């Protein structure tokens, strides 16, 4: 899917991600396109979530800490102090919501939950 918003998303990711992470995000977007039917999600939503899921992953630890503070993301376990590994999902959701003005809760929840954070049930079970 190539839309003006997708072009904007790609430009944003090229500025914020390493080349390897950018390629990874393109690959995840393709896989999500194929999984959209399994999870009964509109293809465009799935592709967008896959593309943007790591939007904050390559930010510095200081930048991630600032986002975690601004977003009021709760640090519940000591391991979550490794923001890049454990909290980049919710941090990425915050970034795409505020930098790219994405408000679709399905997309934001998918991005947030890909590193398991919280108890949202949006994506618990694929449709049989």
């Amino acid at each position: 899917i190539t839309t003006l918003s997708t072009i904007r998303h790609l430009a944003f990711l090229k500025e914020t991600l390493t080349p390897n992470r950018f390629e990874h995000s393109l690959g995840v977007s393709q896989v999500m396109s194929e999984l959209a039917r399994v999870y009964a999600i509109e293809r465009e939503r799935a592709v967008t979530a896959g593309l943007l899921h790591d939007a904050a992953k390559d930010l510095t630890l200081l930048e991630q800490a600032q986002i975690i503070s601004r977003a009021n993301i709760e640090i519940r376990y000591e391991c979550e102090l490794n923001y890049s590994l454990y909290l980049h999902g919710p941090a990425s959701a915050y970034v795409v919501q505020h930098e790219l003005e994405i408000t679709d809760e399905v997309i934001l929840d998918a991005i947030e939950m890909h590193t398991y954070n919280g108890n949202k049930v949006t994506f618990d079970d694929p449709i049989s």
Side-chain angles (χ1 to χ4, degrees), residues 21-70:
R21 179 102 37 229
F22 181 77
E23 290 299 318
H24 163 76
S25 293
L26 292 176
V28 172
S29 181
Q30 177 62 40
V31 169
M32 289 303 296
S33 173
E34 296 166 14
L35 288 175
R37 185 177 49 88
V38 173
Y39 285 94
I41 302 170
E42 294 171 11
R43 184 174 174 270
E44 186 172 351
R45 283 174 152 170
V47 167
T48 301
L51 184 63
L52 298 174
H53 78 285
D54 277 348
K57 178 83 170 163
D58 289 338
L59 298 177
T60 67
L61 291 179
L62 177 59
E63 290 169 318
Q64 289 181 29
Q66 291 169 339
I67 289 167
I68 288 163
S69 176
R70 276 195 309 263

Side-chain angles (χ1 to χ4, degrees), residues 5 11 24 34 53 102 114 120:
S5 60
H24 163 76
E34 296 166 14
H53 78 285
I102 292 176
H114 91 274
K120 293 186 180 182

